[in-house]
């Protein structure tokens, strides 16, 4: 499959997932501003497992750019990008290290935690107020839960696609 | 794929970091601000004590005369009505005041202790 077509499909999938996610009323259960499941991370995890890091970065960047253009704004762009890149970085490192007793669950939790950490860093850069880090513990605890949920879905996706013929086709 | 030991370690690391950070913020919030207790009688401020400047273990006592007599004791970051000769002793039962915004009132004596933050407009003892 042509790389550009493949990447376009991945971007669209991630975009649709992050759009649909907006309809899940998570804030009704967990009253934290800005909290979300981070289901678009499924695509990042999938790319890191099946393809390479550059592809993951490109797809992430284009997805966040389009998503901010369509639904968010410049602040959501900065927040999502710092969070997304940090999450991608830690997950890429953990996958490359190939730690045997570590599965997609731990990788997804680490990704979610670093995503929140990145967002707080962006908030600190914008607001210049150290108090924003006081919000981090709540986000970190929620990231354990959202990380597990994302891992469950990623696991489903990886299992469905882990068939030799399909892998050849997808490459 | 089932979760393995490494996944639990990562979850544990994230959780412990979150708890450490929140512990740090809670302890910082309790000590960073100077607590000033303002004691007033009949609507007039009779004394203002910076509770944060009192060393741990040290106790300051203040005797107040009025219709009834009252003894107020102040320690590091806390203050209370130690005893009062008033009949109902609501003020004594209020217990220690430790946080900004708390107050204890002795109505028969018309004494009010109120804890303010550092940004109090009271900064000197006037009697």
């Amino acid at each position: 499959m042509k790389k550009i077509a493949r990447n376009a499909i991945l971007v669209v999938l991630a975009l649709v997932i992050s759009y649909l996610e907006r309809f899940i009323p998570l804030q009704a259960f967990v009253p934290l501003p800005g909290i979300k499941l981070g289901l678009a991370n499924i695509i990042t995890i999938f790319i890191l497992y099946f393809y390479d890091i550059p592809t993951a970065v490109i797809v992430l960047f284009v997805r966040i750019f389009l998503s901010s253009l369509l639904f968010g704004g410049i602040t959501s762009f900065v927040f999502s990008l710092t969070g997304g890149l940090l999450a991608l970085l830690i997950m890429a490192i953990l996958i490359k290290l190939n730690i045997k007793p570590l599965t997609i669950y731990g990788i997804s939790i680490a990704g979610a935690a670093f995503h929140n950490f990145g967002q707080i860093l962006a908030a600190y850069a914008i607001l210049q107020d150290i108090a924003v880090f006081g919000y981090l513990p709540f986000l970190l605890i929620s990231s354990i839960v959202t990380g597990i949920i994302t891992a469950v879905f990623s696991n489903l996706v990886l299992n469905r696609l882990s068939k030799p013929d399909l892998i050849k086709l997808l490459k | 794929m089932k979760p393995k030991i490494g996944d639990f370690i990562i979850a544990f690391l994230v959780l412990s970091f979150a708890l450490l950070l929140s512990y740090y913020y809670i302890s910082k919030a309790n000590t960073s601000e100077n607590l000033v207790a303002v004691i007033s009688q009949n609507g007039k401020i009779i004394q203002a004590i910076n509770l944060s400047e009192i060393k741990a273990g040290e106790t300051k006592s203040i005797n107040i005369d009025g219709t009834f007599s009252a003894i107020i004791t102040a320690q590091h970051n806390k203050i209370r009505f130690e005893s009062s000769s008033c009949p109902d002793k609501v003020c004594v039962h209020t217990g220690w005041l430790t946080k900004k915004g708390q107050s204890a009132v002795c109505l028969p004596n018309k004494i009010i202790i109120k804890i303010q933050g550092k940004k109090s407009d009271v900064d000197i003892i006037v009697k």
Side-chain angles (χ1 to χ4, degrees):
Chain A
M1 204 193 290
K2 280 231 169 93
K3 249 189 179 178
I4 191 159
R6 184 196 75 190
N7 289 357
I9 292 169
L10 291 168
V11 167
V12 169
L13 280 171
L15 199 59
V16 168
I17 291 171
S18 66
Y19 177 68
L20 289 178
E21 199 186 63
R22 302 165 76 89
F23 295 103
I24 301 171
L26 196 62
Q27 267 159 19
F29 305 106
V30 192
L32 288 174
I35 192 170
K36 55 179 190 173
L37 284 174
L39 290 178
N41 207 26
I42 296 169
I43 301 296
T44 306
I45 291 175
F46 170 70
I47 297 171
L48 287 174
Y49 269 99
F50 275 83
Y51 306 121
D52 45 30
I53 296 167
T55 309
V57 175
I58 290 165
V59 170
L60 180 84
F61 184 83
V62 177
R63 189 259 295 176
I64 289 169
F65 176 75
L66 288 175
S67 160
S68 307
L69 206 64
L70 292 169
F71 326 114
I74 183 72
T75 23
S76 85
F77 177 75
V78 175
F79 277 68
S80 303
L81 195 65
T82 43
L85 283 176
L86 262 183
L88 198 159
L89 184 77
I90 189 72
M91 290 194 299
I93 290 169
L94 288 175
I95 290 171
K96 286 287 169 241
L97 284 176
N98 198 16
I99 304 159
K100 281 281 169 272
L102 188 65
T103 69
I104 199 161
Y105 292 95
I107 287 162
S108 176
I109 291 169
F114 271 73
H115 192 279
N116 287 327
F117 183 59
Q119 283 185 318
I120 291 291
L121 279 183
Y124 176 63
I126 292 169
L127 299 171
Q128 297 285 325
D129 185 356
I130 197 87
V132 294
F133 284 96
Y135 186 44
L136 191 57
F138 301 102
L139 286 179
L140 285 178
I141 290 168
S142 76
S143 75
I144 296 174
V145 181
T146 59
I148 290 169
I149 295 168
T150 311
V152 170
F153 286 112
S154 303
N155 203 10
L156 285 173
V157 172
L158 291 181
N159 281 342
R160 294 286 168 95
L161 296 174
S162 293
K163 299 193 172 74
D165 306 348
L166 207 55
I167 289 169
K168 217 179 279 173
L169 192 72
L170 287 168
K171 293 280 177 192
Chain B
M1 220 187 299
K2 278 194 173 152
K4 289 182 186 163
I5 183 78
D7 305 325
F8 291 105
I9 290 172
I10 285 200
F12 178 74
L13 281 177
V14 172
L15 189 69
S16 45
F17 185 70
L19 292 178
L20 257 171
L21 201 67
S22 53
Y23 175 75
Y24 168 76
Y25 269 91
I26 290 164
S27 58
K28 203 180 136 198
N30 284 344
T31 54
S32 65
E33 198 174 27
N34 278 329
L35 294 176
V36 177
V38 178
I39 304 166
S40 52
Q41 193 174 24
N42 294 318
K44 283 179 200 149
I45 293 163
I46 54 170
Q47 201 159 358
I49 311 162
N50 190 331
L51 298 177
S52 304
E53 278 175 5
I54 301 171
K55 290 185 188 77
E58 208 175 294
T59 306
K60 265 189 186 177
S61 288
I62 301 137
N63 294 309
I64 296 177
D65 300 320
T67 324
F68 304 97
S69 62
I71 301 169
I72 296 166
T73 52
Q75 289 180 0
H76 180 66
N77 280 339
K78 57 184 183 178
I79 190 163
R80 71 167 172 182
F81 278 97
E82 177 81 42
S83 64
S84 172
S85 60
C86 61
D88 53 341
K89 294 191 171 49
V90 169
C91 53
V92 178
H93 293 143
T94 307
W96 289 107
L97 308 180
T98 55
K99 289 192 183 81
K100 189 179 157 187
Q102 286 182 324
S103 60
V105 181
C106 186
L107 267 186
N109 262 340
K110 299 200 177 78
I111 302 171
I112 300 173
I113 309 176
K114 205 169 160 62
I115 297 197
Q116 296 178 336
K118 201 187 178 182
K119 283 176 197 152
S120 162
D121 46 4
V122 180
D123 54 11
I124 201 156
I125 301 164
V126 180
K127 192 160 185 179

